[in-house]
Amino acid sequence: MQSRWPNPLALLGAVPALVLGLALTRLLYDLLFPLPWLGQPLPVASVALLFAVAGALVWQSLFRRRHNWLAATLPFLPFYLNLLTLLDPAPDLARARFLFAAALWLSCAAAIADARRPWTLLVALLIGAAALYLPTMPHTVGRADTFEFQVVAPRLGIVHPTGYPLYLLLGKLFTLIIPVGSPAWRLNLASAVYGLAALVFVYLLGRALHGRDAPALAGAAALALTPTFWSQAIEAEVYTLHLLFVAAILFLLVRWLRQGPPSGARGWLLLPFLLGLGLTNHLTTVFLLPPALLTLFYLRRAWPRRLSFWAGMLLAFLLPLLLYAYLPLRWAAVNGEPMGWSRFWDWVVGGRFQGALQWLAWWRDPARYAVVGRLFLAEWGWFGLAWAAAGWLLLLRRQPRAVTVLLLAWLGYTFYALNYYVPDLSVFLLPAQLVIAIGWGAVALWLGRRPAVVPAIALAALIAPILLAAAQWSALDRSGDDGLTTWGRAVLALPLETGAAILADSEKIAPLYYLQQAEGVRPDLDILVLPDEATYRAELDARLAQGQAVYLARFLPGLEGVYHLGSLGPLLAVREKGVREMPASTTPTALSFPQNIHLSGYQLQPQSPYDPAHAALTLYWRADAPVNENQYVYIRWTNGSITTAPLPPTGRHPANNDYPTAAWEPGEIVADFHDLPRPILPQDAPFQLQVALAPPFTHPDALSWQVVTTVTMPATDPQQLTTQPRRALIGPVALTGLDAPAQIRPQTPLPLTLTGFAPDPASLARLEWSLSAAPEFSPRAFAPPPAFAPRPFAWSATLDTDLPPGTYQIVARAPDSGARCGWLRPSRAGCVVGEVTISGAPLPPGATNFGDKIALLQADVSSMTLTPGGQLGVDLTWQALAPMSENYTVFVQVLDAEDRIVGQVDAWPLQGTFPTGQWQPGQTVADPYVVSLAPDLRPGPYRLQVGFYLLATLQRLPVLDAGGVPVDDHYLLSGLEVRGGE
């Protein structure tokens, strides 16, 4: 007879339920802050106690039904995941919410793991994955291929090779059947649907292989949590649909091997049909042919013995390939000309990408193994890869044929990645990641000898990918990404000439073209993106020669001295004649600068239409005589108490950094646009806008500033800032976020950016800030003022750091009041709200410091002697100095004696696969490049130039001297040469 309540073992349910209750109060405290009572002991204890009692009662009920203490306890164990939130003093809302939801999901999965109803776990998988993807999905246009699909699919147009006819037709269907959202969002949703369907087949494949539901769920859920699959399931791309075919085909193969081949001839036709249909979405489906042929070989005795069988198999494979007829049909409709057989074939096989596919790279380029290995490691970590490998070793012993087929698929896709030189290599490895995920659940079958233990081990294996996903949430969450549509709308609202052309880069083309094609904004414009600089230059020259106005939304070198340039907002207007008058809306001014340069007028918008956190400024320059020395533009804000650093710190050429002053024609008006960050202010305040002209890399103290105007700058909206979350009540101020550099140089001010709630700005000024190596706080009573009615604020301050090198904590105090420094924290005299390291950049001798963010430790070239038309190998070794959110582009240039570029590579590090935003401080990155040289190199000296720039702004990272002052914007290696003929 079963024991009745109370049962001492009920603590196995009460304790984890107590943890869940505490986690709920912590989550509510962080979400609803600054409501102070949510973090007080009595309310927290009351909620936690209720959860504990409920947990004990539920455990008792489960124990009575299952008669097994482990089975009754298993649904409660995931609640302990929330200990990571409870033990972390710093609030992380994204991670806390994800871990709370993941714990509940795992609990539900554990409760139904032994229900002997496979569909219940499958439903749990789909609900959990949908809850992961839908909240992080962007609602507007994406970039690169994503934007192309979002524009082309609704119009049934033509996309880049290989054409993807099946994806386009299904995408058009989704735009018709989904009644809400923009076309871009509907196509993003389609990717999520394909991804969920792929997970269904991954689950069925695991179940067919393992024979158990929980291990199958573990493998499918682990794949769903990997960063690459997640990223592709929330944007319009072909890869989740591709993975759907991969999973379905592999499931079919394994099912045939495990349960026997189809009994009739028609049942065999599904395999070639799926293979052919998969090829109409992505050509790498071809790597499933060897596994399919091997499976057919294993099942050779079951083949029907007649010719019609093979004819039917061939027909089933070829029939879906007729979808490629979409390309010539739509080509003629869109372009008004026949596609032609040669163009059709080149499009289908991806002829333009053949240069990136080097089939012997696996042999000739050992660095590829490190590239591909790092991509596997980024998805799973060392533990995950070892766990999956153990599972595959177990399966290989039990089911050698099925495992051989699956590993052959893994080998094919991995081999392809080794030989394919593209930045987005991780998406091509998704089928290989699928195979790894299938082995994930097999270890549970080995460790869990008893059937009741298998679900526990399988679900416990998910903790590692859950923790990896929790760390990735903020990076993968694109729900707040507007896809530069705010910028694009403002650009298309500019007074662009009718019928003009905009030549854009691969990033800025997306919002411009999408707004034009999907929303009908400025249909008269020609908006183009082109493959290389030579094509851009030829297109620009041809259009200007025909009298068409041309604007650039990208950097194009070599225009100065040939054309006259000027800003139109963030665009660069290219003209054959210089402008002699300012727009009527310009405010005139009369400021004189060196080299006979004058500021004739300006236009200032305190809130930029391109970025609400910035101000939009256009300066109108004029030179009365030829300028002998290039002058850079420096700008700053000041109101006496607040003075910003020069913007940008190194200065820049006028006209979007494209039109050096030495190229100006006397008397022409040069429009010079700047998108300036505004001072961070808790309330409106007057500021002077000051401008200086000086040679590049002039020290800030040597600049001669002149006042352009005085303007009232609006208070900063806290929602426009990204700060690290904090939860501290310091007197009447509720601090919700603080941002500070992780590292600064000795004797330099520490900039702080704060967000939160306060009754008035005066209360902010009364806060006391300091740095301390080991702060001590005495207890102090805290009570919010009776009329506590806080208003949101954003505020910036600087803190002097006259301290020796070391790591210090940032301390905030209110002189007349106590503080509460987070959830369940006692009242005290102050709060630690951050940490900073004071040190000079930790650079080895000879290293080059790029903006205190990246150090160039070493630069080696394959030869100091250059060969015309040959290649130069360049091996760079970088070290990350500080955390970075930006992805900087590396430029590697070979220059001749006249500073002409004769060889160039621009790419993200490590062949485009390791952006700087993923680097960790102190991490060393070996980064090889191969620079192709021009065939017409003349004998003489040459130099190698290396550096970083941000694609969105084209602003280079400055090279800093030992005092942190910008002195250059590149590293230069001299001594290269082309030798003369003997």
Side-chain angles (χ1 to χ4, degrees), residues 616-637:
L617 171 69
T618 301
L619 303 172
Y620 292 90
W621 302 100
R622 187 189 78 252
D624 291 338
V627 179
N628 299 322
E629 182 183 9
N630 278 325
Q631 301 289 299
Y632 275 28
V633 180
Y634 301 81
I635 303 173
R636 73 178 184 184
W637 302 101

Side-chain angles (χ1 to χ4, degrees), residues 144 147 487 502 504-514 527-529:
F147 122 80
W487 178 91
I502 299 178
D505 60 30
S506 58
E507 182 180 49
K508 297 185 179 68
I509 185 69
L512 298 175
Y513 196 73
Y514 175 80
I527 304 175
L528 300 92
V529 62

